Amino acid sequence: MLLNNRLTKQLPMMLCAVLVSLNAYSDSYQKIVSVDGSITEILYALEQQHRLVGRDTTSIWPEAAKELPDVGYMRQLSSEGLLSLQPDLILVTADAQPQSVLDQLKAAGVNVHIIENDYSLQGVQQKILSVARIVEQYEKGVELVASLDAEMMRIQDAITAQHQEPVSAIFVLGIRNGSMMVAGSGSRADALLRMAGLHNPFSDQVQNYQSVSAEALIRANPDIIITMSQGADMGGGIEQVLQDPAIRLTRAGQQKNVLVVDARLLSFGPDLPAQIEDLYQQVNLNSSNNKKLLDRFAAWNE
């Protein structure tokens, strides 16, 4: 189900958390390093990009963010690269690693704030309010959260109106030596598929990202395979992927339904509603010769 609760039920509690701790951030931070693409996007959405002095490699949107110094991948941080930018604030999500580097930064006197990264609409809303509170832009944060909720309501209504069995879709992180790593419960990709109304047959079989056997893939028999460009490249390109013996025995393989998406689709930032809608449109376009999928997603072209 796309949404369990409307914002009207969630917002009062979120605002209380914001107001209670607002005084803890009386000084404005002017040199911020953002570690996580979603945080970077939130800072831009709050019009606070002028404070950014650095970002991690997952921060690829907006395009202007790429011009900032790159401190490396968020799961492989180094204290030297971060300290060289002399930040007065480093914003990271709970996905940032290693913990030893974060501890070193704190020991060096740098303000490091860890933001929870719950892969849900409510999680994104709370992340926005947390960042807005820290940079003293909570009113803009509340407006952004309200806009996000309205967009998600529209998308949920469109999905619900279809009253059809969800399309079976798997998300492949990578293919190497005949082994396929797929998304399961607890992963960003699985959460996104569920929010988009798609059925992931590996949700109950796989935790996070795990390799699966050819037999498991054949049993899953997805309607469509979704992957990022890196995943397709690891498998030798889409045409090579479609030649995989196991994939050829699935509906997706037989109908050549392999969709390559941008990595930003998994950012879980303020553009979440647009990214979900974009996923629908791409599934629809990619499946133009598949009557079953076209019927299910025709509402997005109305």
Side-chain angles (χ1 to χ4, degrees), residues 168-172 174-175 178-182 200-202 205-206 211-226 241-253:
S168 175
I170 64 172
F171 188 94
V172 177
I175 303 173
S179 178
M180 184 174 297
M181 184 168 288
V182 302
N200 179 9
F202 289 116
Q205 305 174 34
V206 169
S211 295
V212 296
S213 66
E215 292 78 9
L217 176 62
I218 294 170
R219 286 195 302 271
N221 196 20
D223 293 316
I224 187 165
I225 295 171
I226 301 173
V241 169
L242 288 170
Q243 293 304 311
D244 183 277
I247 291 178
R248 290 173 65 180
L249 292 175
T250 66
R251 288 190 295 270

Side-chain angles (χ1 to χ4, degrees), residues 187-260:
S187 67
R188 294 190 187 206
D190 180 64
L192 186 72
L193 293 179
R194 287 187 286 104
M195 293 177 74
L198 301 172
H199 169 65
N200 179 9
F202 289 116
S203 284
D204 299 328
Q205 305 174 34
V206 169
Q207 288 293 320
N208 209 356
Y209 295 97
Q210 294 180 11
S211 295
V212 296
S213 66
E215 292 78 9
L217 176 62
I218 294 170
R219 286 195 302 271
N221 196 20
D223 293 316
I224 187 165
I225 295 171
I226 301 173
T227 186
M228 295 184 293
S229 57
Q230 299 95 316
D233 291 343
M234 289 173 65
I238 292 179
E239 289 303 319
Q240 189 63 38
V241 169
L242 288 170
Q243 293 304 311
D244 183 277
I247 291 178
R248 290 173 65 180
L249 292 175
T250 66
R251 288 190 295 270
Q254 292 165 3
Q255 297 165 0
K256 297 186 177 182
N257 280 328
V258 177
L259 174 62
V260 179

Side-chain angles (χ1 to χ4, degrees), residues 77-143:
L77 298 173
S78 71
S79 55
E80 292 80 5
L82 288 160
L83 290 172
S84 68
L85 298 177
Q86 299 181 321
D88 50 29
L89 173 66
I90 298 177
L91 288 174
V92 306
T93 62
D95 293 337
Q97 296 292 335
Q99 183 61 46
S100 59
V101 168
L102 300 181
D103 293 338
Q104 290 172 11
L105 294 168
K106 292 178 182 178
V110 180
N111 290 304
V112 179
H113 290 281
I114 301 175
I115 310 294
E116 289 301 316
N117 212 2
D118 177 23
Y119 307 135
S120 67
L121 172 63
Q122 288 77 25
V124 173
Q125 291 171 329
Q126 186 60 63
K127 183 162 51 176
I128 290 171
L129 290 177
S130 295
V131 174
R133 168 175 52 85
I134 293 171
V135 299
E136 297 180 316
Q137 297 294 318
Y138 69 95
E139 290 184 358
K140 286 184 179 179
V142 171
E143 293 174 0

